[in-house]
Each structure stands twice: as C-alpha cells, then as structure tokens.
Amino acid sequence: MVYEQFAQLYDELMDTSLYAKWTTYVTDHMPVPGSILELGCGSGQLGIQLAQKGYNVTGLDVSIDMLTLAQQRQQEMGIHFPLIQRDMTDLSGFDHFSAVISFNDSFCYLRQPADLRAVLKQSYYALRAGGVLMFDVHSVQKIESFADYSYHGEVNGQLLVWDSYAGEEPLSCEHDIRIFLQREDGLYERYDECHYERTYPIAVYQELLAEAGFVDVEVTGDFLPSLLPEADRWFFKAVKKG
C-alpha cells in the first residue's frame, strides 16, 4: 500500500518505543554482524537502529513517500544504507542475506493469499543457507477489533479522521483515512486514502512457510518469548534450511 500524504503524519502516529522492541527481537535471533533486508521499511527508523547495532541493512518499500522520509531520517542521524523502491512480491536480484525482516504488520497489506505466498517464497530465495526470516502480523482478534475503530482528532497541528471497518474478505479490514493539511495561506487541503489489511490463522502462515521451504518455525506474540491467546501481534521466525 502506498502511503502518499499519510507519510507526512506517519512518525507522529507511530508508537516509536516499538522500534527498540523490534531491534531487540532481531538482535535476540541473529548475531552481529549480518546482512538484513527489511521489507516495508517505511520511515527507516528500525533500519537506522539496526545499522547502529552493526548490521548491514538494505531497506525496501513500495512507497516513494516513505522512502523519502527514510532518507531524511538517515540524513538527520548521519547513517546511510541502500533504500530501494520495489514491491516486496518481487525480490529478484536479492540474495545471500543473513536475514529478511518485515515488522509493523507490513505483510498484512498483502491483499491476496497468492501475494503472501509469493513474498515468503521470494524471501526464501533472498536468504543464504541458514538465514532467518522474521516478521509480525496482526492476530485474528486484533483485525476483528478494527471493525469499530475510530479516531477523529489533531496530530501535529493537522486534522486526522480515521475510521476502520470490516473488509469483504475474511479476517480483513479497511482503514478510511482523511487528512486535512494546512497550507501556507492558512486554508486546509483534504487528502483521502484507504488502507487495506488482512491476516490469517496461524496454521495458514505455518503452512505457507513450510511450502516455501522454511524449517524451524517459531511463533510468539507481543514481544514475549511465548504465545498467549490474547496476543495482538504474532511474531514468526523461520530458517532457510542449509
């Protein structure tokens, strides 16, 4: 999903404490140094923290707006690594990475099961033997909770109207976002975006990971070492067999 104008408010809406937790999750599951391909790198903040830890990072995102924001963050922090505009379903030319990662429910933006299947297979080919795939997705209960989510308020001086509702496909939701950005003349300009997300039962992810060739699949939740029934975010770690 291309974020377009939403990118301007992205960092204001994000719980930035999550970046440190994702960084810890990665460092707990792979040694330093190592090469990391981040799918759906967004504003680049996670990649920056991983680069600060000593990893060799490459960021990939379909949105030029998010990549522009990521480049700005790199300049502010004095850290630079490749940023590539590409749909994550096509990772041709990428290989021998120590890890492929994708957090902040980026895989939930894949609209069809075929897209998820393609990303998992492409991630497998992008890894070296013994490399690790790590990603998180919304749990079933989290996706279902979006059916009645609504936020109407101000973010960094800009008006944001966000309404979510159940999507047409099972375990999917749509986020109807209206952003009112203030111009230099004091008037507001309206932008409308619709963001789609979808998840699947854990067994489906496990089946697709196995189909792609991954082994040693581990599932946890909410940054904890185990999976609790009430988890909002599921974490998957899988290994490319040697």
Side-chain angles (χ1 to χ4, degrees), residues 135 205-206 209-210 214-219 235-239:
F135 65 94
Y205 290 106
Q206 292 172 320
L209 285 165
F214 286 101
V215 296
D216 299 331
V217 178
E218 296 180 6
V219 187
F235 284 78
F236 291 82
K237 180 183 79 71
V239 179

Side-chain angles (χ1 to χ4, degrees), residues 57-87:
V57 180
T58 297
L60 181 147
D61 204 289
V62 71
S63 169
I64 190 64
D65 300 281
M66 296 306 298
L67 292 174
T68 299
L69 185 58
Q71 188 175 48
Q72 293 172 358
R73 297 292 176 264
Q74 287 187 353
Q75 292 172 350
E76 292 168 1
M77 299 301 296
I79 292 178
H80 302 281
F81 51 82
L83 296 170
I84 299 170
Q85 184 184 22
R86 180 87 70 90
D87 190 310

Side-chain angles (χ1 to χ4, degrees), residues 9 36 53 103 141 147 161 166 171 203:
L9 298 181
I36 295 177
K53 293 289 185 181
F103 297 116
Q141 73 167 19
V161 178
L171 301 179

